[in-house]
Amino acid sequence: MKKSLAIAAAVAATFASASYAQSSVTLYGIVDAGFTYTTNVNGSANYAMTSGNIQQSRWGMRGVEDLGGGLKTIFTLESGFNLMNGQQGNSLNNNSLFNRQAYVGLTQDQYGTVTFGRQYDSVVDYLAPLTAVGSWGGTYFAHMADNDNGNASFSLNNAVKYTSPNLSGFQFGGAYAFSNQANGFSNNRAYSAGAGYSYGGLRVAAAYLQANNAGSLTNPGGAITNDQFVSRQRQRVWGGGVNYTYGPAVGGVTFTQTRLNGLSDNLSVRFNNIEANLRYNLTPALGIGAMYTYTNVNGSLLSSEGGGKTAHWNQFGLQADYALSKRTDVYLEGVGAWGSGEAAVGSTQVGFVSATNFSSSKNQGIVSTGIRHRF
């Protein structure tokens, strides 16, 4: 009898152990905070304690369950927050609990991954990692007002997303975000596609995003809840880039174009962004980086007569980052943007500081220092 009970207990323990090994949940996050000096905000310099200087502070959970035969269930729930006041989200992300990502899906090594929920678009997934804002530089290195969403200023609601397996260095994917509105199929919907290829130190990528009636007041529950450009009839973003890693150095060049149609009074505008970036690790702990972006803007938005006038911005950024450990680093960075042509007073904004921190002149600069910890 005792022998039978012992065998039964051993079998039960074996199954329990196997079940535990087949699924897991991981808690993760980033806390990033420091001090930031910004010029020309409402006519004055601004000295502020800030959160998310390189990466938005966040916490999240990701999980996986092995269903057998190489098939797995996956999920991610991720919430951004302001470390200075504890509030959820930031100036653009809504105050929902999981304002960055919230999705569930299936993945299989041979066929790829399908997920459903609030997710990033293909510009964020494929092209942004080749830019300074999407890799080492972070928040303030975004292109003018983050016009191409390289800093993930918005995510896609109601999205179905496919990501292919890695095919000898090549990977592709796309997403479709539904409007979820009866008799309004295209009212605040979005779709995107992208691809990337890696070989040795070489990486190339391209992506496209289109949003119709994004931020629509008649359908706030659609694909895009809110972002920096409020409501417009159509937004299109496309671009490509290449970078190369050689020893301790990685450098690259990217191009993106953002077209906004049907803004207030049916105005339109086009942003062209050309970026060159370089990062070099002086030691395993100390890295330095530099970025230059030229942004050309033209369209009827720049002229009350509806003509094709042009504005220009030159944006420079420098950063030094020192790792105190594998998970904690300290940084010092400076970014500046200088407008010319039809660049209007009050239209310049370094990277994406907040929806209200536009400059009171054509120029703006930021110096920021802080500490970042990953868990």
Side-chain angles (χ1 to χ4, degrees):
M1 181 64 176
K2 291 182 180 180
K3 185 176 181 180
S4 299
L5 289 174
I7 293 175
V11 171
T14 300
F15 278 107
S17 176
S19 176
Y20 178 80
Q22 290 174 352
S23 66
S24 64
V25 176
T26 302
L27 176 67
Y28 68 93
I30 297 171
V31 282
D32 180 346
F35 175 81
T36 300
Y37 165 77
T38 308
T39 67
N40 303 332
V41 178
N42 298 321
S44 302
N46 186 36
Y47 303 85
M49 293 298 298
T50 49
S51 174
N53 296 327
I54 297 181
Q55 292 178 282
Q56 184 185 13
S57 297
R58 68 196 72 170
W59 71 276
M61 295 178 289
R62 62 170 65 98
V64 58
E65 180 185 15
D66 192 342
L67 303 176
L71 184 65
K72 299 176 182 178
T73 303
I74 59 172
F75 78 85
T76 294
L77 303 172
E78 187 174 283
S79 176
F81 61 91
N82 187 324
L83 195 64
M84 293 299 105
N85 56 27
Q87 293 181 356
Q88 294 176 5
N90 55 26
S91 58
L92 292 182
N93 288 329
N94 59 52
N95 289 323
S96 301
L97 177 57
F98 298 112
N99 45 54
R100 293 180 61 88
Q101 299 184 88
Y103 64 81
V104 65
L106 297 171
T107 183
Q108 213 272 353
D109 291 342
Q110 185 176 356
Y111 299 109
T113 303
V114 178
T115 48
F116 309 88
R118 181 172 171 83
Q119 305 174 74
Y120 297 134
D121 66 81
S122 297
V123 173
V124 176
D125 287 342
Y126 294 94
L127 186 53
L130 304 187
T131 66
V133 65
S135 54
W136 52 267
T139 304
Y140 303 137
F141 287 71
H143 302 153
M144 184 60 55
D146 197 27
N147 65 82
D148 50 13
N149 202 38
N151 196 35
S153 293
F154 61 83
S155 301
L156 302 182
N157 300 322
N158 318 320
V160 180
K161 184 175 181 178
Y162 172 74
T163 304
S164 77
N166 189 316
L167 306 170
S168 300
F170 177 72
Q171 193 169 40
F172 64 92
Y176 187 94
F178 287 83
S179 70
N180 276 15
Q181 185 180 50
N183 197 30
F185 184 78
S186 63
N187 185 21
N188 198 358
R189 68 169 176 172
Y191 47 90
S192 67
Y197 178 72
S198 299
Y199 180 79
L202 177 69
R203 293 179 65 187
V204 295
Y208 176 81
L209 165 68
Q210 178 162 326
N212 296 334
N213 295 322
S216 171
L217 298 178
T218 61
N219 184 22
I224 297 176
T225 305
N226 47 22
D227 67 31
Q228 66 272 47
F229 296 115
V230 197
S231 182
R232 66 272 186 203
Q233 292 177 359
R234 183 171 63 182
Q235 176 178 356
R236 289 172 292 174
V237 179
W238 66 273
V242 57
N243 73 12
Y244 190 80
T245 301
Y246 183 78
V250 55
V253 177
T254 62
F255 171 82
T256 62
Q257 182 179 100
T258 300
R259 290 175 176 258
L260 303 173
N261 300 101
L263 293 162
S264 59
D265 298 323
N266 292 318
L267 299 177
S268 62
V269 65
R270 182 179 67 214
F271 296 79
N272 293 312
N273 308 286
I274 302 173
E275 177 190 324
N277 58 74
L278 175 67
R279 178 176 169 83
Y280 187 86
N281 289 324
L282 296 171
T283 71
L286 177 62
I288 57 174
M291 174 274 290
Y292 167 72
T293 297
Y294 170 72
T295 298
N296 169 286
V297 186
N298 58 63
S300 59
L301 181 65
L302 300 176
S303 171
S304 59
E305 295 82 18
K309 295 188 176 181
T310 303
H312 310 268
W313 278 274
N314 292 280
Q315 185 175 349
F316 299 87
L318 295 171
Q319 183 189 89
D321 182 87
Y322 184 79
L324 301 175
S325 69
K326 291 183 178 180
R327 297 190 297 173
T328 302
D329 59 318
V330 292
Y331 54 83
L332 173 65
E333 59 187 10
V335 185
W338 290 265
S340 61
E342 294 299 316
V345 172
S347 62
T348 299
Q349 187 180 51
V350 172
F352 193 70
V353 184
S354 76
T356 58
N357 277 0
F358 282 93
S359 174
S360 51
S361 75
K362 292 185 179 183
N363 311 316
Q364 192 174 61
I366 281 179
V367 176
S368 179
T369 185
I371 183 170
R372 174 177 53 174
H373 177 74
R374 307 168 186 84
F375 63 89

